[in-house]
């Protein structure tokens, strides 16, 4: 098998999806979105980019299928093998150095069963808050690709909010999430996105706003000042 | 080189560019700090900064005036850049250690 570093692997997977006409059927979420933002904002060093091992792709609800593609077959050339959990029926594609997981907006009823996307031969993992990302995403150019990513301000808000979903033992990951959110938040506020932050904060359900504001306060985010009158 | 080395090297380069960027922003920012002086029942703000070993006090305005708020905002922005630069330098120190270990 050809040896890839993580960035090459990420871009090669994007290319495969693009060549098969399905790249825009997904929303790129998680840390790899930062690389797209960095490219979008002319590689500004204030945007933290890390070539992580986890590539997360969100399947919108309802799924938008441009054409039938056997994704497990497509990923096999990178030694990414499907790993099933028989307890909850979920699956992801793993190799020693990389993981690809497909996610799906959870309907909020605690449905942990995977969503079978037959046309792609994948099972997507339901996850809370994803519908908000789906509704607030945009197409961005990344090199020769056009792909859907969360709006950067929404990425920041969700990064904070999802800290609640981390297990208490994940202290290092929580600290990394907060640091990433704060760095991107600082860059966006500096670039005049205060009103955007306010707009998307107001769009959230009250319970989310309350939780988010608590997390922001605990982490001394500059957004506390922005949201303090409407929490 | 290993995949890990490439990842660390990329972060090393980003942090160096970031520190350079913050250095530039700090150099362009308003220098000094606000100094409050009371005269009778009124309070006045001055911008205090060093020039050739002397401390200069430049009058800004009355307490609560828009000018004072404007200067306070600019100074706060510089403090934020200084804080971010400090954090980036700490991160760079850690990355250097990792880079040495990865070679």
């Amino acid at each position: 098998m050809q040896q890839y570093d993580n960035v090459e692997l990420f871009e090669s997977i994007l290319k495969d999806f693009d060549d098969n006409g399905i790249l825009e059927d997904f929303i790129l979420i998680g840390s790899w979105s930062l690389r797209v933002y960095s490219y979008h904002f002319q590689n500004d060093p204030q945007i933290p980019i890390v070539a992580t091992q986890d590539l997360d792709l969100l399947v919108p609800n309802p799924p938008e299928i441009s054409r039938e593609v056997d994704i497990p077959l497509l990923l096999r050339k990178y030694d990414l093998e499907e790993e099933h959990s028989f307890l909850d029926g979920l699956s992801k594609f793993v190799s020693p150095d990389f993981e690809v997981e497909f996610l799906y907006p959870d309907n909020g009823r605690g449905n942990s069963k995977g969503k079978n996307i037959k046309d792609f031969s994948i099972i997507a993992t339901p996850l809370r808050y994803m519908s908000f990302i789906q509704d607030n995403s945009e197409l961005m150019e990344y090199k020769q690709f056009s792909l859907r990513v969360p709006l950067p301000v929404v990425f920041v808000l969700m990064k904070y909010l999802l800290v609640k979903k981390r297990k208490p033992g994940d202290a290092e990951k929580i600290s990394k999430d907060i640091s990433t959110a704060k760095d991107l938040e600082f860059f966006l506020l500096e670039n005049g996105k205060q009103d955007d932050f306010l707009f998307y904060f107001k769009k959230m359900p009250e319970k989310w706003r309350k939780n988010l504001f608590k997390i922001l306060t605990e982490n001394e985010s500059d957004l506390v000042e922005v949201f303090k009158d409407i929490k | 080189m290993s995949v890990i080395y490439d990842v660390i090297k990329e972060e090393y380069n980003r942090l160096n560019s970031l520190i350079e960027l913050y250095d530039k922003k700090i150099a362009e920012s308003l220098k000094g700090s606000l100094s409050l002086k009371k005269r009778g029942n009124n309070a006045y703000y001055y911008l205090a900064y060093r020039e050739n070993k002397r401390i200069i006090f430049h009058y800004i305005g009355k307490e609560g005036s828009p000018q004072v708020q404007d200067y306070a905002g600019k100074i706060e922005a510089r403090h934020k850049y200084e804080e971010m630069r400090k954090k980036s330098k700490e991160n760079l120190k850690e990355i250097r250690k990792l880079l040495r270990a990865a070679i």
Side-chain angles (χ1 to χ4, degrees):
Chain A
M1 192 192 97
Q2 187 186 335
Q3 198 67 38
Y4 294 95
D5 71 28
N6 284 2
V7 179
E8 287 168 346
L9 184 53
F10 165 67
E11 289 174 359
S12 191
I13 292 171
L14 291 188
K15 185 174 184 313
D16 286 341
F17 277 47
D18 198 35
D19 289 347
N20 281 283
I22 57 166
L23 185 57
E24 289 184 20
D25 294 354
F26 298 90
I27 302 166
L28 174 70
I29 58 171
S31 300
W32 286 96
S33 309
L34 293 162
R35 192 165 291 269
V36 178
Y37 299 153
S38 174
Y39 186 83
H40 178 78
F41 291 107
Q42 290 81 43
N43 299 317
D44 193 303
Q46 290 182 96
I47 298 172
I49 44 164
V50 180
T52 64
Q53 293 185 312
D54 306 314
L55 172 59
D56 297 322
L57 293 163
L58 179 68
V59 180
N61 179 15
E64 295 159 15
I65 316 263
S66 299
R67 53 184 290 216
E68 205 175 304
V69 173
D70 186 344
I71 289 180
L73 181 68
L74 207 142
L75 294 177
R76 208 162 291 146
K77 76 173 186 192
Y78 305 109
D79 273 351
L80 287 158
E81 293 292 339
E82 195 164 10
E83 194 181 83
H84 283 282
S85 162
F86 292 103
L87 278 177
D88 48 24
L90 304 178
S91 82
K92 55 186 173 183
F93 296 85
V94 298
S95 77
D97 299 319
F98 209 73
E99 276 190 24
V100 180
E101 189 166 17
F102 295 93
L103 301 162
Y104 192 74
D106 190 351
N107 58 16
R109 294 182 199 125
N111 182 9
S112 64
K113 262 187 80 180
K115 169 80 178 171
N116 190 356
I117 316 289
K118 281 185 189 157
D119 291 330
F120 291 148
S121 309
I122 55 168
I123 293 167
T125 305
L127 193 66
R128 293 291 305 276
Y129 306 123
M130 292 299 115
S131 54
F132 194 78
I133 290 184
Q134 177 183 333
D135 295 342
N136 300 296
S137 59
E138 67 175 328
L139 272 178
M140 264 190 197
E141 301 300 316
Y142 174 73
K143 300 190 176 176
Q144 73 267 39
F145 310 111
S146 173
L147 70 163
R148 281 169 75 182
V149 286
L151 292 165
V153 292
V154 171
F155 180 96
V156 171
L157 298 178
M158 287 295 140
K159 200 77 178 166
Y160 279 119
L161 203 49
L162 281 163
V163 161
K164 259 180 79 73
K165 294 283 159 199
R166 293 262 192 220
K167 295 180 186 92
D170 282 344
E172 203 176 315
K173 280 186 179 171
I174 290 172
S175 159
K176 187 85 194 67
D177 283 347
I178 296 292
S179 170
T180 300
K182 283 181 105 169
D183 286 349
L184 187 58
E185 161 200 299
F186 181 68
F187 170 77
L188 293 169
L189 284 175
E190 202 188 30
N191 283 276
K193 298 288 183 190
Q194 182 162 331
D195 290 347
D196 290 15
F197 273 119
L198 210 48
F199 179 79
Y200 291 103
F201 184 68
K202 280 181 183 169
K203 270 181 91 173
M204 288 179 164
E206 197 184 338
K207 197 178 166 193
W208 293 22
R209 288 207 302 264
K210 209 176 153 192
N211 286 334
L212 179 56
F213 195 80
K214 189 166 173 268
I215 296 167
L216 295 172
T217 307
E218 283 166 2
N219 291 286
E220 298 172 343
S221 158
D222 291 340
L223 289 173
V224 170
E225 194 59 32
V226 179
F227 298 155
K228 67 179 181 189
D229 295 330
I230 52 150
K231 69 177 189 295
Chain B
M1 281 293 169
S2 70
V3 169
I4 297 289
Y5 177 85
D6 291 337
V7 171
I8 302 169
K9 183 77 179 144
E10 185 180 43
E11 182 62 357
Y12 174 81
N13 291 339
R14 184 184 78 86
L15 287 171
N16 272 313
S17 303
L18 190 55
I19 292 165
E20 215 172 277
L21 178 75
Y22 288 143
D23 281 343
K24 191 169 167 266
K25 289 190 181 219
I26 292 164
E28 289 165 358
S29 301
L30 185 68
K31 286 174 186 58
S33 58
L34 289 181
S35 170
L36 181 67
K37 291 183 191 292
K38 292 199 170 174
R39 301 270 185 274
N41 289 331
N42 292 318
Y44 303 96
Y45 270 101
Y46 289 78
L47 178 70
Y49 58 96
R50 226 172 253 280
E51 201 173 84
N52 301 326
K53 292 184 182 172
R54 284 178 60 221
I55 296 177
I56 311 284
F57 289 91
H58 171 77
Y59 177 70
I60 301 172
K62 265 192 176 178
E63 191 174 25
S65 67
Q67 294 96 313
V68 171
Q69 283 174 9
D70 182 44
Y71 271 78
K74 285 175 181 165
I75 291 170
E76 197 186 317
R78 194 196 71 222
H79 286 161
K80 188 80 191 174
Y81 287 133
E82 286 168 349
E83 187 191 308
M84 299 295 272
R85 180 177 63 180
K86 189 179 167 203
K87 187 184 133 197
S88 301
K89 282 189 170 178
E90 284 165 6
N91 289 342
L92 184 64
K93 211 171 151 186
E94 291 303 311
I95 288 290
R96 270 203 195 104
K97 280 187 209 164
L98 290 173
L99 203 53
R100 274 196 290 269
I103 291 172

